[in-house]
Amino acid sequence: MSNQRYGAGIWHFATYVDRYATDGYGEPRTILDAIDLAGQVRDLSVVDLNYPFFGGDFSNEQVGTALTTAGLDVIGITPEIYTRAFAKGSFTNPDPGVRRLTHELVTEAADVVRHFGADYVKLWPGQDGWDYPFQVDHGALWKASLDGVGALASENPDLKFVIEYKPREPRVHMSFDSVSRTLLGIERIGLPNVGILLDFGHALFGGESPADSAQLAIDYGRLFGMDVNDNLRGWDDDMIAGTVHPIELFEFFYTLRRNNWAGVWQLDQFPFREDSVAAADLAIDFLKAVERGLDKLDVAGVVEAQSRHDSITALRLVQQALFTSY
């Protein structure tokens, strides 16, 4: 019997807009509506919550009651430091007042993490970066990124802070844009409670091998969390996990297991046009097949093939294990 836990960002169960369907892809939902839907997913046990809670003025207690009814726990809190107020940046905003607002909002989110007994504060500073040449002083921008995160981590040593990197969007170039740059920044901050949340799709989008990115973060002791989805590499499409790159997803989880990394396997998907519960069920069904495939994989055979850089033998073993496990 597997003890693996599965999670999802609560935004998976929200409704979405884009620059074309500005009226949205469905009726608006509150966080309570989204929690109710999340509770309908088979095998889902934890969620990552946006803060402030969307769709209304809800207390921690109201959200907690909804979570209990749905049978869900909280893994993390994601403060919304990427909305209109932060259009010119959060940690890197040229306005010191907005930088203070960022600090205050993340500090509030830290208290919500404590309230729910969650694992971490997740930082996705999507507006930190630049769009044009000569727009910013790159040295000052990078220093502001590190100072902002470092101050929060220093003030809250009892909590973990995870940085979710991404190459671009909404900024044309984000400050934390890759696994290597983010690790460099974390090492410069130099605090033990700052790590990476590795988004499989962001690694694909950035031209990385997600398995290699995971190994690098693990080697530095900084892989604090992960989530999965899929895309066509040209954009952060947040498609259903395993639908486009099943072999690379399998290698990603193979890498985690080889390093004895234990944690929640979490979904970060945006089912714009799909039923959100069905999309989560499909992804988790595939992740369970991945786990069964890892159980039956001839690891010694793969390791031996890798010692010779023998891709044919390694892939034959991998395909046999994965494709007979669904």
Side-chain angles (χ1 to χ4, degrees), residues 133-189:
F134 284 97
Q135 184 175 10
V136 300
D137 177 327
H138 292 289
L141 189 90
W142 186 232
K143 183 178 186 299
S145 290
L146 305 188
D147 288 349
V149 175
L152 286 159
S154 179
E155 292 170 13
N156 299 273
D158 58 313
L159 298 182
K160 292 180 180 178
F161 289 81
V162 299
I163 300 170
E164 182 177 5
Y165 69 87
K166 183 179 178 181
R168 58 189 180 277
E169 191 210 14
R171 294 312 290 253
V172 173
H173 194 116
M174 284 177 57
S175 187
F176 291 107
D177 69 344
S178 62
V179 67
S180 54
R181 184 176 174 90
T182 305
L183 282 171
L184 281 171
I186 291 171
E187 292 305 301
R188 174 64 66 87
I189 291 170

Side-chain angles (χ1 to χ4, degrees), residues 23 41 67 114 124 168 216 228 246 267 289 301 306:
D23 54 345
V41 177
L67 290 164
R114 294 185 182 98
W124 184 67
R168 58 189 180 277
L216 193 61
V228 293
L267 306 178
Q306 288 178 334

Side-chain angles (χ1 to χ4, degrees), residues 79-232:
E80 294 192 337
I81 54 174
Y82 42 79
T83 53
R84 183 169 59 184
F86 307 99
K88 288 191 174 182
S90 52
F91 297 117
T92 65
N93 198 290
D95 183 342
V98 177
R99 296 198 300 273
R100 284 194 299 272
L101 178 63
T102 301
H103 188 92
E104 291 166 1
L105 181 57
V106 178
T107 299
E108 289 178 20
D111 285 336
V112 180
V113 168
R114 294 185 182 98
H115 176 85
F116 287 109
D119 289 359
Y120 50 70
V121 180
K122 188 179 79 179
L123 302 176
W124 184 67
Q127 300 287 7
D128 283 1
W130 65 92
D131 306 310
Y132 292 95
F134 284 97
Q135 184 175 10
V136 300
D137 177 327
H138 292 289
L141 189 90
W142 186 232
K143 183 178 186 299
S145 290
L146 305 188
D147 288 349
V149 175
L152 286 159
S154 179
E155 292 170 13
N156 299 273
D158 58 313
L159 298 182
K160 292 180 180 178
F161 289 81
V162 299
I163 300 170
E164 182 177 5
Y165 69 87
K166 183 179 178 181
R168 58 189 180 277
E169 191 210 14
R171 294 312 290 253
V172 173
H173 194 116
M174 284 177 57
S175 187
F176 291 107
D177 69 344
S178 62
V179 67
S180 54
R181 184 176 174 90
T182 305
L183 282 171
L184 281 171
I186 291 171
E187 292 305 301
R188 174 64 66 87
I189 291 170
L191 296 173
N193 59 329
V194 184
I196 283 179
L197 185 137
L198 203 165
D199 182 299
F200 179 85
H202 293 178
L204 288 176
F205 178 31
E208 299 174 2
S209 158
D212 176 62
S213 300
Q215 185 65 63
L216 193 61
I218 288 169
D219 286 346
Y220 280 83
R222 298 293 185 174
L223 186 61
F224 288 6
M226 48 76 62
D227 51 38
V228 293
N229 43 49
D230 219 327
N231 62 51
L232 300 174

Side-chain angles (χ1 to χ4, degrees), residues 9 13 39 44 60 62 64 66 74 81 87 96 122 130 217 222 245 275 285 290 297-298 308:
F13 306 96
L44 194 70
N60 289 341
Q62 287 173 296
V74 180
I81 54 174
K122 188 179 79 179
W130 65 92
R222 298 293 185 174
H245 295 96
D275 178 273
D285 284 347
V290 165
L297 180 64
D298 179 1
R308 296 180 284 106

